[in-house]
Coordinates of all heavy atoms in Angstrom, one line a residue:
M1 N 87.6 101.1 98.0 CA 87.1 101.1 96.7 C 87.2 99.7 96.1 O 88.2 99.0 96.3 CB 87.9 102.1 95.8 CG 87.4 102.2 94.4 SD 88.1 103.6 93.5 CE 87.7 105.0 94.6
K2 N 86.1 99.2 95.4 CA 86.1 97.9 94.9 C 86.4 97.9 93.4 O 85.8 98.7 92.7 CB 84.7 97.3 95.1 CG 84.6 95.8 94.7 CD 83.2 95.3 95.0 CE 83.0 93.9 94.5 NZ 81.7 93.5 94.7
I3 N 87.3 97.1 93.0 CA 87.7 97.0 91.6 C 87.6 95.6 91.1 O 87.9 94.7 91.9 CB 89.2 97.5 91.4 CG1 89.3 98.9 91.8 CG2 89.7 97.2 90.0 CD1 90.7 99.5 91.8
S4 N 87.0 95.4 89.9 CA 87.0 94.1 89.4 C 87.9 94.1 88.1 O 88.0 95.0 87.4 CB 85.6 93.7 89.0 OG 85.1 94.6 88.0
V5 N 88.6 92.9 88.0 CA 89.5 92.7 86.9 C 89.1 91.5 86.1 O 89.0 90.4 86.8 CB 91.0 92.6 87.4 CG1 91.9 92.4 86.2 CG2 91.4 93.9 88.1
T6 N 89.0 91.6 84.8 CA 88.7 90.4 84.0 C 89.9 90.2 83.1 O 90.4 91.1 82.4 CB 87.5 90.6 83.1 OG1 86.3 90.9 84.0 CG2 87.1 89.3 82.3
V7 N 90.5 89.0 83.2 CA 91.7 88.6 82.4 C 91.2 87.6 81.4 O 90.6 86.6 81.7 CB 92.8 88.0 83.3 CG1 94.0 87.7 82.5 CG2 93.2 89.0 84.4
T8 N 91.6 87.8 80.1 CA 91.3 86.9 79.1 C 92.5 86.7 78.2 O 93.4 87.5 78.1 CB 90.1 87.4 78.2 OG1 90.4 88.7 77.7 CG2 88.8 87.4 78.9
L9 N 92.5 85.5 77.5 CA 93.6 85.3 76.5 C 93.4 86.3 75.4 O 92.3 86.6 75.0 CB 93.5 83.9 76.0 CG 93.9 82.8 77.0 CD1 93.6 81.4 76.4 CD2 95.4 82.9 77.4
K10 N 94.5 86.7 74.8 CA 94.4 87.5 73.6 C 93.8 86.8 72.5 O 93.9 85.5 72.4 CB 95.8 88.0 73.2 CG 96.4 89.0 74.2 CD 97.7 89.5 73.7 CE 98.2 90.5 74.7 NZ 99.5 91.2 74.3
K11 N 93.1 87.5 71.6 CA 92.3 86.8 70.5 C 93.1 85.9 69.7 O 92.7 84.8 69.2 CB 91.6 87.8 69.7 CG 90.5 88.6 70.4 CD 89.8 89.6 69.5 CE 89.0 90.5 70.3 NZ 87.7 90.3 70.5
E12 N 94.4 86.2 69.5 CA 95.3 85.4 68.6 C 95.8 84.2 69.3 O 96.5 83.3 68.7 CB 96.4 86.2 68.0 CG 97.3 86.9 69.0 CD 96.9 88.3 69.5 OE1 95.7 88.7 69.2 OE2 97.6 88.9 70.2
V13 N 95.6 84.0 70.6 CA 96.1 82.9 71.4 C 95.1 81.8 71.4 O 93.9 82.0 71.7 CB 96.5 83.3 72.8 CG1 96.9 82.1 73.7 CG2 97.6 84.4 72.8
L14 N 95.5 80.6 71.1 CA 94.6 79.4 71.1 C 94.1 79.2 72.6 O 94.8 79.4 73.5 CB 95.3 78.2 70.7 CG 95.7 78.1 69.2 CD1 96.5 76.9 68.9 CD2 94.5 78.3 68.3
D15 N 92.8 78.8 72.7 CA 92.2 78.6 74.0 C 91.6 77.2 74.0 O 90.4 77.0 73.8 CB 91.1 79.7 74.1 CG 90.4 79.6 75.5 OD1 90.7 78.7 76.3 OD2 89.4 80.3 75.7
P16 N 92.5 76.2 74.4 CA 92.0 74.8 74.4 C 90.9 74.6 75.4 O 89.9 73.8 75.1 CB 93.2 74.0 74.7 CG 94.2 75.0 75.2 CD 93.9 76.3 74.7
Q17 N 90.9 75.2 76.5 CA 89.8 75.0 77.5 C 88.5 75.5 77.0 O 87.5 74.9 77.1 CB 90.2 75.7 78.8 CG 89.1 75.4 79.9 CD 89.5 76.0 81.3 OE1 90.6 76.5 81.4 NE2 88.7 75.9 82.2
G18 N 88.5 76.7 76.4 CA 87.3 77.3 75.8 C 86.8 76.4 74.7 O 85.6 76.2 74.5
K19 N 87.7 75.8 73.9 CA 87.3 74.9 72.8 C 86.6 73.7 73.3 O 85.6 73.2 72.8 CB 88.5 74.6 71.9 CG 88.2 73.9 70.6 CD 89.4 73.8 69.8 CE 88.9 73.3 68.4 NZ 89.9 73.5 67.4
V20 N 87.1 73.1 74.4 CA 86.5 71.9 75.0 C 85.1 72.3 75.5 O 84.1 71.5 75.4 CB 87.4 71.3 76.1 CG1 86.7 70.3 76.9 CG2 88.7 70.8 75.5
V21 N 85.0 73.4 76.2 CA 83.7 73.8 76.7 C 82.7 74.0 75.6 O 81.5 73.6 75.6 CB 83.8 75.1 77.6 CG1 82.4 75.7 77.9 CG2 84.6 74.9 78.8
N22 N 83.1 74.7 74.5 CA 82.3 74.9 73.3 C 81.8 73.6 72.8 O 80.6 73.4 72.5 CB 83.1 75.7 72.3 CG 82.2 76.1 71.1 OD1 81.1 76.6 71.3 ND2 82.7 75.8 69.9
Q23 N 82.7 72.6 72.6 CA 82.3 71.3 72.0 C 81.4 70.6 73.0 O 80.4 70.0 72.5 CB 83.6 70.5 71.8 CG 83.3 69.1 71.1 CD 82.7 69.3 69.8 OE1 83.1 70.1 68.9 NE2 81.6 68.6 69.5
T24 N 81.6 70.6 74.3 CA 80.7 70.0 75.2 C 79.3 70.6 75.2 O 78.3 69.9 75.2 CB 81.3 70.1 76.7 OG1 82.6 69.5 76.7 CG2 80.4 69.4 77.7
L25 N 79.3 71.9 75.1 CA 77.9 72.6 75.0 C 77.2 72.1 73.7 O 76.0 71.9 73.7 CB 78.1 74.1 75.0 CG 78.5 74.7 76.3 CD1 78.9 76.2 76.2 CD2 77.4 74.5 77.4
N26 N 78.0 72.0 72.6 CA 77.4 71.5 71.3 C 76.9 70.1 71.5 O 75.8 69.8 71.1 CB 78.4 71.6 70.2 CG 78.6 73.0 69.7 OD1 79.4 73.2 68.7 ND2 78.0 74.0 70.2
N27 N 77.6 69.3 72.2 CA 77.2 67.9 72.4 C 76.0 67.8 73.3 O 75.3 66.8 73.3 CB 78.4 67.1 73.0 CG 79.5 66.9 72.1 OD1 79.4 67.1 70.9 ND2 80.7 66.5 72.6
M28 N 75.8 68.8 74.2 CA 74.7 68.8 75.1 C 73.4 69.4 74.4 O 72.4 69.5 75.0 CB 75.0 69.7 76.3 CG 76.1 69.1 77.2 SD 76.6 70.3 78.5 CE 75.1 70.4 79.5
G29 N 73.6 69.8 73.1 CA 72.4 70.2 72.4 C 72.4 71.7 72.2 O 71.4 72.2 71.6
Y30 N 73.3 72.4 72.6 CA 73.4 73.9 72.5 C 74.1 74.2 71.2 O 75.2 74.8 71.2 CB 74.0 74.6 73.7 CG 73.3 74.4 75.0 CD1 73.7 73.4 75.9 CD2 72.2 75.1 75.3 CE1 73.1 73.2 77.1 CE2 71.5 74.9 76.4 CZ 71.9 74.0 77.3 OH 71.3 73.8 78.5
Q31 N 73.4 73.9 70.1 CA 74.0 74.1 68.7 C 74.2 75.6 68.4 O 75.1 75.9 67.5 CB 73.2 73.4 67.7 CG 73.0 71.9 67.9 CD 74.3 71.1 68.0 OE1 75.2 71.4 67.2 NE2 74.4 70.2 68.9
S32 N 73.5 76.5 69.0 CA 73.7 77.9 68.7 C 74.9 78.5 69.3 O 75.3 79.6 68.9 CB 72.4 78.7 69.2 OG 72.3 78.5 70.6
V33 N 75.6 77.8 70.2 CA 76.8 78.3 70.8 C 77.9 78.1 69.7 O 78.2 76.9 69.4 CB 77.2 77.6 72.1 CG1 78.5 78.1 72.6 CG2 76.1 77.9 73.1
T34 N 78.6 79.1 69.3 CA 79.6 79.0 68.2 C 81.0 79.2 68.7 O 82.0 78.8 68.1 CB 79.3 80.0 67.1 OG1 79.3 81.4 67.6 CG2 78.0 79.8 66.5
S35 N 81.2 79.8 69.9 CA 82.5 80.1 70.4 C 82.5 80.3 71.9 O 81.6 81.0 72.4 CB 83.1 81.3 69.7 OG 84.4 81.6 70.2
V36 N 83.5 79.8 72.6 CA 83.7 80.1 74.0 C 85.1 80.4 74.3 O 86.0 79.7 73.8 CB 83.3 78.8 74.9 CG1 83.6 79.1 76.3 CG2 81.8 78.5 74.6
R37 N 85.4 81.5 75.0 CA 86.7 81.8 75.5 C 86.7 81.9 77.0 O 85.8 82.4 77.6 CB 87.1 83.2 75.0 CG 87.1 83.4 73.5 CD 88.3 82.8 72.8 NE 89.5 83.5 73.1 CZ 90.7 83.1 72.6 NH1 90.8 82.0 71.9 NH2 91.8 83.8 72.9
Q38 N 87.7 81.3 77.6 CA 87.7 81.2 79.1 C 88.6 82.4 79.6 O 89.4 82.9 78.9 CB 88.2 79.9 79.6 CG 89.6 79.5 79.2 CD 90.7 79.9 80.2 OE1 90.4 80.0 81.3 NE2 91.9 80.1 79.7
G39 N 88.5 82.7 80.9 CA 89.3 83.7 81.5 C 89.3 83.6 83.0 O 88.9 82.6 83.6
K40 N 89.8 84.7 83.7 CA 89.8 84.8 85.1 C 89.2 86.1 85.6 O 89.2 87.1 84.8 CB 91.3 84.8 85.6 CG 92.1 83.6 85.2 CD 93.6 83.7 85.7 CE 94.4 84.5 84.7 NZ 95.8 84.5 85.0
Y41 N 88.6 86.0 86.8 CA 87.9 87.2 87.3 C 88.5 87.4 88.7 O 88.6 86.5 89.5 CB 86.4 87.0 87.3 CG 85.6 88.1 88.0 CD1 85.4 89.3 87.3 CD2 85.2 87.9 89.3 CE1 84.7 90.3 87.9 CE2 84.5 88.9 89.9 CZ 84.2 90.1 89.2 OH 83.5 91.1 89.8
F42 N 88.8 88.7 89.0 CA 89.3 89.1 90.3 C 88.5 90.2 90.9 O 88.2 91.2 90.1 CB 90.8 89.5 90.3 CG 91.7 88.4 89.8 CD1 92.0 88.4 88.4 CD2 92.3 87.5 90.6 CE1 92.9 87.4 87.9 CE2 93.1 86.5 90.1 CZ 93.4 86.5 88.8
E43 N 88.2 90.2 92.2 CA 87.6 91.4 92.9 C 88.7 91.8 93.9 O 89.2 91.0 94.7 CB 86.3 91.0 93.6 CG 85.2 90.8 92.7 CD 83.9 90.6 93.5 OE1 83.9 90.4 94.7 OE2 82.8 90.5 92.8
I44 N 89.0 93.1 93.8 CA 90.1 93.7 94.6 C 89.5 94.9 95.4 O 88.9 95.7 94.8 CB 91.3 94.1 93.8 CG1 91.8 92.9 92.9 CG2 92.4 94.7 94.6 CD1 92.7 93.3 91.8
K45 N 89.7 94.9 96.7 CA 89.4 96.1 97.5 C 90.6 96.9 97.8 O 91.6 96.3 98.3 CB 88.7 95.7 98.8 CG 87.3 95.1 98.5 CD 86.6 94.9 99.8 CE 85.2 94.3 99.5 NZ 84.5 93.9 100.7
I46 N 90.6 98.2 97.4 CA 91.7 99.0 97.6 C 91.3 100.2 98.5 O 90.3 100.8 98.3 CB 92.2 99.6 96.2 CG1 92.7 98.5 95.4 CG2 93.3 100.6 96.4 CD1 93.2 98.9 94.0
N47 N 92.1 100.4 99.5 CA 91.9 101.5 100.4 C 92.4 102.8 99.8 O 93.4 103.4 100.2 CB 92.5 101.3 101.8 CG 92.1 102.3 102.8 OD1 91.1 103.0 102.7 ND2 92.8 102.3 103.9
E48 N 91.6 103.3 98.8 CA 92.0 104.5 98.1 C 90.7 105.2 97.6 O 89.8 104.6 97.1 CB 92.8 104.2 96.9 CG 93.2 105.3 96.0 CD 94.1 106.3 96.8 OE1 95.2 106.0 97.2 OE2 93.6 107.5 96.9
S49 N 90.6 106.5 97.9 CA 89.3 107.2 97.5 C 89.4 107.9 96.1 O 88.4 108.2 95.5 CB 89.0 108.3 98.6 OG 90.1 109.2 98.7
D50 N 90.6 108.1 95.6 CA 90.8 108.7 94.3 C 90.8 107.6 93.2 O 91.6 106.7 93.2 CB 92.2 109.4 94.3 CG 92.5 110.1 93.0 OD1 92.2 109.6 91.9 OD2 93.0 111.3 93.1
K51 N 89.8 107.7 92.3 CA 89.6 106.6 91.3 C 90.8 106.5 90.4 O 91.2 105.4 90.0 CB 88.4 106.9 90.5 CG 87.1 106.6 91.1 CD 86.0 106.8 90.1 CE 84.7 106.3 90.8 NZ 83.6 106.2 89.8
E52 N 91.5 107.6 90.0 CA 92.6 107.5 89.2 C 93.8 106.8 89.8 O 94.5 106.0 89.2 CB 93.0 108.9 88.7 CG 92.1 109.5 87.6 CD 92.0 108.5 86.4 OE1 93.0 108.1 85.9 OE2 90.8 108.3 86.0
K53 N 94.0 107.1 91.1 CA 95.1 106.4 91.9 C 94.8 104.9 92.0 O 95.7 104.1 91.9 CB 95.3 107.0 93.2 CG 96.0 108.4 93.2 CD 96.2 108.9 94.6 CE 96.8 110.3 94.6 NZ 97.0 110.8 96.0
A54 N 93.5 104.6 92.3 CA 93.1 103.2 92.4 C 93.3 102.5 91.1 O 93.8 101.3 91.1 CB 91.6 103.1 92.8
K55 N 93.0 103.1 90.0 CA 93.2 102.5 88.7 C 94.7 102.3 88.4 O 95.0 101.2 87.8 CB 92.6 103.4 87.6 CG 92.5 102.7 86.2 CD 91.6 103.5 85.3 CE 91.4 102.6 84.0 NZ 90.4 103.2 83.1
I56 N 95.5 103.2 88.7 CA 97.0 103.0 88.6 C 97.5 101.8 89.4 O 98.2 101.0 88.9 CB 97.7 104.3 89.0 CG1 97.4 105.4 87.9 CG2 99.2 104.1 89.1 CD1 97.9 106.8 88.3
I57 N 97.0 101.7 90.6 CA 97.4 100.6 91.4 C 96.9 99.3 90.8 O 97.7 98.3 90.7 CB 96.8 100.8 92.9 CG1 97.5 101.9 93.6 CG2 97.0 99.5 93.7 CD1 96.8 102.4 94.9
A58 N 95.7 99.3 90.3 CA 95.1 98.1 89.7 C 95.9 97.7 88.5 O 96.2 96.5 88.3 CB 93.6 98.3 89.4
K59 N 96.3 98.6 87.7 CA 97.1 98.4 86.5 C 98.4 97.7 86.9 O 98.9 96.8 86.2 CB 97.3 99.6 85.7 CG 96.2 100.0 84.8 CD 96.5 101.3 84.0 CE 95.3 101.7 83.2 NZ 95.6 102.9 82.4
E60 N 99.1 98.3 87.9 CA 100.3 97.7 88.4 C 100.2 96.3 88.8 O 101.0 95.4 88.5 CB 100.9 98.6 89.5 CG 101.4 99.9 89.0 CD 101.9 100.8 90.2 OE1 101.9 100.4 91.4 OE2 102.2 102.0 89.9
I61 N 99.1 96.0 89.6 CA 98.8 94.7 90.1 C 98.6 93.7 88.9 O 99.2 92.6 88.9 CB 97.6 94.7 91.0 CG1 97.9 95.4 92.3 CG2 97.1 93.3 91.3 CD1 96.7 95.7 93.2
C62 N 97.9 94.2 87.9 CA 97.6 93.3 86.7 C 98.9 93.0 86.0 O 99.2 91.8 85.6 CB 96.7 94.0 85.7 SG 95.0 94.1 86.3
K63 N 99.7 94.0 85.7 CA 101.0 93.8 85.0 C 102.0 93.0 85.8 O 102.7 92.2 85.2 CB 101.6 95.2 84.6 CG 100.8 95.9 83.6 CD 101.4 97.2 83.2 CE 100.5 98.0 82.2 NZ 101.1 99.3 81.9
K64 N 102.1 93.1 87.1 CA 103.1 92.5 87.9 C 102.7 91.1 88.4 O 103.6 90.2 88.6 CB 103.4 93.3 89.1 CG 104.2 94.6 88.7 CD 104.5 95.4 90.0 CE 105.3 96.7 89.6 NZ 105.6 97.5 90.8
L65 N 101.4 90.8 88.5 CA 101.0 89.6 89.1 C 99.8 88.8 88.4 O 99.9 87.6 88.2 CB 100.6 89.8 90.6 CG 100.1 88.6 91.3 CD1 101.2 87.6 91.5 CD2 99.5 89.0 92.7
L66 N 98.8 89.5 88.1 CA 97.6 88.8 87.6 C 97.6 88.3 86.2 O 96.8 87.4 85.8 CB 96.3 89.7 87.8 CG 96.1 90.2 89.3 CD1 94.8 91.0 89.3 CD2 96.0 89.0 90.2
T67 N 98.4 89.0 85.3 CA 98.4 88.6 83.9 C 99.8 88.3 83.4 O 100.8 88.7 83.9 CB 97.8 89.7 83.0 OG1 98.7 90.8 83.1 CG2 96.4 90.1 83.5
N68 N 99.8 87.5 82.4 CA 100.9 87.3 81.5 C 100.7 88.2 80.3 O 99.9 87.8 79.4 CB 101.1 85.8 81.1 CG 102.3 85.6 80.2 OD1 102.8 86.5 79.6 ND2 102.6 84.3 80.0
T69 N 101.2 89.4 80.3 CA 100.9 90.3 79.2 C 101.3 89.9 77.8 O 100.8 90.5 76.9 CB 101.5 91.7 79.6 OG1 102.9 91.6 79.7 CG2 100.9 92.3 80.9
V70 N 102.1 88.9 77.7 CA 102.4 88.4 76.4 C 101.2 87.7 75.7 O 101.0 87.8 74.5 CB 103.6 87.4 76.5 CG1 103.9 86.7 75.1 CG2 104.9 88.1 77.0
I71 N 100.4 87.0 76.5 CA 99.3 86.2 76.0 C 97.9 86.6 76.5 O 96.9 86.1 76.0 CB 99.5 84.7 76.2 CG1 99.5 84.3 77.7 CG2 100.8 84.2 75.5 CD1 99.5 82.9 78.0
E72 N 97.9 87.5 77.5 CA 96.6 87.8 78.1 C 96.4 89.4 78.1 O 97.3 90.2 78.1 CB 96.6 87.4 79.6 CG 96.6 85.9 79.8 CD 96.7 85.5 81.2 OE1 97.4 86.1 82.0 OE2 96.0 84.5 81.6
D73 N 95.1 89.7 78.0 CA 94.6 91.1 78.1 C 93.8 91.2 79.4 O 93.4 90.2 80.0 CB 93.7 91.4 77.0 CG 94.4 91.6 75.6 OD1 95.5 92.1 75.6 OD2 93.7 91.2 74.6
Y74 N 93.7 92.4 79.9 CA 92.9 92.6 81.1 C 92.0 93.8 81.0 O 92.3 94.7 80.2 CB 93.8 92.7 82.4 CG 94.7 93.9 82.4 CD1 94.3 95.1 82.9 CD2 96.0 93.7 81.9 CE1 95.2 96.2 82.8 CE2 96.9 94.8 81.8 CZ 96.5 96.0 82.3 OH 97.3 97.1 82.3
K75 N 90.9 93.8 81.7 CA 90.0 94.9 81.7 C 89.7 95.3 83.2 O 89.3 94.4 84.0 CB 88.7 94.6 81.0 CG 87.7 95.7 80.9 CD 86.5 95.5 79.9 CE 86.0 94.1 80.0 NZ 84.7 93.9 79.3
I76 N 89.8 96.5 83.5 CA 89.6 97.0 84.9 C 88.3 97.7 85.0 O 88.0 98.6 84.1 CB 90.7 97.9 85.4 CG1 92.1 97.1 85.4 CG2 90.4 98.5 86.7 CD1 93.3 98.0 85.6
N77 N 87.5 97.4 86.0 CA 86.2 98.1 86.2 C 86.2 98.6 87.7 O 86.3 97.8 88.6 CB 85.0 97.1 86.0 CG 83.7 97.9 86.1 OD1 83.6 99.0 85.8 ND2 82.7 97.1 86.7
I78 N 86.1 99.9 87.8 CA 86.0 100.5 89.2 C 84.5 100.7 89.5 O 83.8 101.4 88.8 CB 86.8 101.8 89.2 CG1 88.3 101.6 88.9 CG2 86.7 102.5 90.6 CD1 89.1 102.8 88.8
E79 N 84.1 100.2 90.7 CA 82.8 100.3 91.1 C 82.6 101.4 92.1 O 83.5 101.7 92.9 CB 82.3 99.0 91.7 CG 82.4 97.9 90.6 CD 82.0 96.5 91.2 OE1 81.4 96.4 92.3 OE2 82.3 95.5 90.5

């Protein structure tokens, strides 16, 4: 089973990299861009046929390794 995980900074956490990208886009002429937030994307293959079990495994992986739950949120998508 293929699982994708998107990790982003929590909304209340400052995102200096996103701010730099936003400013650069504005400098390049993309004035309609008002905000950019950066994040991480992971594709994980799990040898599990039960979607609920796969989601539990993915949550454990996110909490133990892929995210800093103090400052980051994650979203799991099972394909």
